[in-house]
Amino acid sequence: MPALTLPAEAPSLAEAVAQSVRDGVAAGELVPEQTYSVYQLADLLGVSRSPVREGLLRLAEAGLVEIIRNRGFRVLPPRAHDIEEIVGIRLALEPPAARRAAEQASDEQLGAVRSALDAMAAAAARGDDASFWPADRALHDLLLRASGRTRTAGIVAQLRTTTALLGPPTTASGRTLREIHAEHEPVVGAVLARDGAAAEAAMRAHLEATGRLLMATLVSGSSPARGGPGRS
């Protein structure tokens, strides 16, 4: 078993295990041809088998590993099809939701959306990835909830988590935090102006650009930054 370690910061042990395996795949320490033991991984990381199994289940749902009953798990190479499918689902959900948010959000919800964009801008100016990505996720979530689609918000949150496990972030292609923030400005501007058509078009353009870059970084095999979600 390769010398994997748990990341210093993670919301839960299961997510820490998933990130550790993800880092091992990115570093070439875990390879597709090998079957790895759940028991050995638990011992190596110094955790019980329960969070290891939960973390591996999340990776299996993302398509990064295959769980082999009574044997362990095996790494699966990331596939471009997975990214295409996820982006396609988000394109079906988020642009129409941006239109609805523009048309029906309350003033309080619009204020929260504006604050999330401001938080992204401040983090981008500092080059602060750790603050930028939570603000980015919050902005997308707020727009979905302002559209009255709470179930859709949960689905998109899970899709973003899955995308983060599949491959390197778009910043690996040279895309900066300032550029990502700038892509969100037309979306928020249209929502605040209550221009539903413009909000839908801007969200579609943003997601299509993100999808193209995710595909490009996956194909190029760029190495992801450890622990960073990096998906907009």
Side-chain angles (χ1 to χ4, degrees):
M1 177 68 70
L4 304 180
T5 58
L6 287 175
E9 297 180 2
S12 68
L13 272 179
E15 292 189 28
V17 170
Q19 185 59 51
S20 177
V21 174
R22 174 72 183 89
D23 291 342
V25 173
E29 296 175 346
L30 296 174
V31 296
E33 297 80 11
Q34 181 71 38
T35 298
Y36 299 97
S37 165
V38 172
Y39 303 99
Q40 289 179 336
L41 180 59
D43 290 342
L44 178 66
L45 297 177
V47 297
S48 69
R49 291 190 292 275
S50 180
V52 169
R53 290 196 181 98
E54 185 178 346
L56 289 172
L57 282 173
R58 296 182 186 186
L59 292 170
E61 290 173 356
L64 191 63
V65 304
E66 175 188 11
I67 297 176
I68 305 172
R69 187 174 181 181
N70 298 326
R71 292 182 60 192
F73 68 96
R74 183 172 60 198
V75 171
L76 298 174
R79 301 174 300 171
H81 171 74
D82 296 322
I83 296 294
E84 290 177 341
E85 183 178 12
I86 288 171
V87 172
I89 296 170
R90 290 186 64 186
L91 281 167
L93 297 176
E94 292 193 73
R99 175 189 283 270
R100 286 191 293 270
E103 295 171 348
Q104 67 183 45
S106 67
D107 290 341
E108 182 180 358
Q109 288 172 322
L110 292 181
V113 167
R114 185 195 299 273
S115 295
L117 183 68
D118 290 344
M120 288 177 67
R126 299 191 305 269
D128 182 0
D129 287 74
S131 298
F132 183 88
W133 295 114
D136 173 49
R137 293 179 72 99
L139 175 58
H140 281 261
D141 186 73
L142 286 165
L143 288 171
L144 288 164
R145 294 182 185 279
S147 75
R149 298 297 191 268
T150 56
R151 289 186 180 86
T152 300
I155 291 168
V156 170
Q158 183 58 50
L159 290 172
R160 289 179 62 125
T161 298
T162 299
T163 306
L165 294 170
L166 283 173
T170 57
T171 48
S173 67
R175 187 190 195 199
T176 67
L177 298 182
R178 289 179 184 271
E179 289 170 338
I180 298 169
H181 166 261
E183 287 182 17
H184 289 77
E185 286 187 312
V187 179
V188 174
V191 170
L192 296 179
R194 297 198 178 277
D195 186 338
E200 181 171 2
M203 179 62 82
R204 185 172 302 280
H206 164 55
L207 292 176
E208 287 175 343
T210 297
R212 287 192 296 270
L213 286 171
L214 284 171
M215 291 289 293
T217 52
L218 179 61
V219 171
S220 68
S222 302
S223 296
R226 182 181 177 96
R231 272 53 172 205
S232 186

